[in-house]
Amino acid sequence: MSQFNLATTNYNDDMNTYTFAVLPGDGIGPEVMEVALEVLKVSGEKFGFNLDYKNADIGGIAIDNHGLAFPDSTKVICEESDAILFGSVGGPKWENLPPEEQPERAALLPIRKAFSLYANVRPGLLYPQLTDASPLKKERIPSGIDIVCIRELTGGIYFGQPKSTKILPNGQQQAIDTMVYQTSEIERIAQVAIDTARARGSKVCSIDKANVLETSVLWRKVVNDFFEEHAPEVELSHMYVDNAAMQLARDPNQFDVLLTENMFGDILSDEMGVICGSLGMLASASLGANNNSHGHPFGLYEPSGGTAPDIAGMGIANPCAQILSAAMMLRYSFGELKAASAIEKAVEAAVTSGTRTGDIAFGLESVDTVAMGTAVLTNL
Ligand code: IPM
Ligand code: MN
């Protein structure tokens, strides 16, 4: 940690210029990206910073144009940037490719690894006015939901070796994935959970399967030791992942910050997505081990929802998740906290005052992608 923690300051002598790579991807990605870029531009004018971005192909469109879901030309543009603003990848067109060549796996996993994006921050936020969007009963979430999942993103069973399929002498096929963690990987993600909890002023629940898995036994021990040494004031608890899945559905607000390994986080964050209503509202950040040219973490910012092929091209997708992902980029990678909060407040104001895309309309008249963006801009 540097002597001056730039992430908590928000004043600059000169007008900063932040560079970022724009990877809209497939499906609704390009439509919602356009709106998010407009919001970013206006926030730069309002809060006094310049934004300089370059577009590049990722996912299915990159397979079509370059033969690879994550081409080198895209990687170079990302390397020259302070952050990556990501849309979404995949769609029916590429579904018949072998799994390891499909856009999701062949773009997302290598880009996470290439930039050591080990910390996935997924806020689970449901405004009280939108509780109708949640499948949970209203009385369980009277004031909405406000939790956040910190998921380890570059280790565990996703990347562990050996990972292979072979034919055994008896003719059976056998497949192996390996779940593996070492101390330093657990400590650095624990630090992100601590920082997040401190910013929110509350507590961390670490999720594992320590009644069965060796990696979880280590996880729990390292998390305990690390919190004891570095954050004794942050309340820490532990929960088995099966119970956590149940508790999330029963009473999500008993949690504040969830801390967990890669695969558990994948599953729990989808559950969090559904209890928070529409995926069209959920942003995410994947933060790296490396700092950018402004001394802040390099990161990749993407909506939690997918490419929504059923509505792609119709101009009706909810742009809020992409806009909120852009706000996270301003906060974590550029240190522009005021601008980030202003965008978040503008989205909340637009939605709660009744401007809604179809996914969150519930009887109200619904607006299209561009009109939703305009409402956010009006509130900014
Ligand atoms: C996610 C996705 C990815 C993951 C897939 C598409 C590789 O589900 O970002 O949660 O499993 O991490
Ligand atoms: Mn997932």
Side-chain angles (χ1 to χ4, degrees):
M1 177 97 39
S2 70
Q3 190 185 351
F4 303 103
N5 184 1
L6 294 172
T8 60
T9 64
N10 193 40
Y11 53 85
N12 304 300
D13 294 336
D14 305 316
M15 183 132 153
N16 268 336
T17 297
Y18 306 110
T19 61
F20 60 104
V22 172
L23 315 185
D26 310 312
I28 60 168
E31 302 163 40
V32 292
M33 184 66 83
E34 210 177 303
V35 174
L37 290 173
E38 187 62 28
V39 172
L40 278 173
K41 188 177 134 224
V42 172
S43 75
E45 287 159 7
K46 196 167 147 70
F47 290 92
F49 52 84
N50 292 314
L51 295 164
D52 185 10
Y53 63 84
K54 280 200 184 117
N55 269 284
D57 289 339
I58 191 88
I61 188 165
I63 294 176
D64 292 353
N65 292 344
H66 312 266
L68 275 176
F70 180 39
D72 278 343
S73 52
T74 297
K75 190 174 171 203
V76 169
I77 289 178
C78 295
E79 278 165 356
E80 291 166 356
S81 303
D82 295 318
I84 302 168
L85 189 58
F86 195 99
S88 47
V89 293
K93 186 173 176 192
W94 305 281
E95 257 166 27
N96 295 324
L97 291 172
E100 67 281 3
E101 285 172 32
Q102 287 184 18
E104 292 89 340
R105 227 172 114 178
L108 275 173
L109 299 186
I111 205 171
R112 287 173 186 167
K113 208 57 176 177
F115 295 99
S116 306
L117 303 172
Y118 68 90
N120 187 222
V121 181
R122 293 192 177 174
L125 187 63
L126 174 68
Y127 308 137
Q129 293 85 349
L130 280 189
T131 49
D132 275 340
S134 175
L136 297 189
K137 289 199 183 81
K138 249 192 181 146
E139 52 269 29
R140 298 197 170 220
I141 43 169
S143 51
I145 300 174
D146 185 2
I147 57 181
V148 52
C149 181
I150 307 294
R151 166 189 174 194
E152 200 291 325
L153 203 59
T154 49
I157 200 165
Y158 272 57
F159 294 98
Q161 293 295 335
K163 188 190 242 336
S164 64
T165 306
K166 66 177 181 191
I167 298 178
L168 297 173
N170 67 6
Q172 297 273 312
Q173 291 193 77
Q174 186 191 59
I176 301 178
D177 291 290
T178 305
M179 190 184 256
V180 51
Y181 272 108
Q182 51 183 285
T183 316
S184 56
E185 289 174 289
I186 303 170
E187 287 180 344
R188 66 182 182 177
I189 192 74
Q191 182 64 56
V192 177
I194 289 170
D195 294 343
T196 310
R198 282 184 176 145
R200 298 165 59 95
S202 199
K203 54 189 183 183
V204 174
C205 182
S206 174
I207 314 287
D208 61 42
K209 188 70 185 170
N211 49 350
V212 177
L213 300 177
E214 286 291 317
T215 42
S216 282
V217 172
L218 179 70
W219 180 278
R220 194 175 278 221
K221 182 183 178 317
V222 171
V223 168
N224 262 329
D225 292 350
F226 194 80
F227 272 66
E228 203 177 297
E229 187 177 345
H230 298 278
E233 86 288 3
V234 175
E235 187 186 327
L236 172 68
S237 60
H238 302 272
M239 199 182 275
Y240 297 139
V241 62
D242 48 350
N243 186 23
M246 185 172 76
Q247 296 300 333
L248 263 178
R250 210 181 59 81
D251 176 19
N253 288 314
Q254 72 182 276
F255 298 107
D256 184 44
V257 178
L258 294 110
L259 162 63
T260 192
E261 67 88 43
N262 204 345
M263 186 170 61
F264 298 161
D266 178 46
I267 299 167
L268 292 179
S269 63
D270 261 33
E271 185 182 351
M272 241 173 62
V274 75
I275 62 173
C276 288
S278 176
L279 282 176
M281 295 302 297
L282 295 181
S284 82
S286 301
L287 304 177
N290 308 319
N291 279 353
N292 62 27
S293 71
H294 296 272
H296 299 295
F298 181 88
L300 179 152
Y301 301 85
E302 62 176 321
S304 292
T307 51
D310 51 322
I311 57 164
M314 294 166 69
I316 57 170
N318 187 345
C320 290
Q322 190 75 59
I323 296 170
L324 293 169
S325 300
M328 290 183 96
M329 176 174 79
L330 292 179
R331 169 172 292 115
Y332 291 114
S333 283
F334 303 162
E336 293 288 345
L337 309 190
K338 282 185 189 152
S341 299
I343 293 175
E344 286 160 359
K345 288 203 183 86
V347 169
E348 181 168 6
V351 168
T352 57
S353 71
T355 307
R356 313 245 177 109
T357 43
D359 54 322
I360 50 172
F362 304 105
L364 296 178
E365 200 185 319
S366 61
V367 304
D368 65 10
T369 307
V370 171
M372 188 71 237
T374 308
V376 174
L377 285 174
T378 311
N379 283 286
L380 188 61

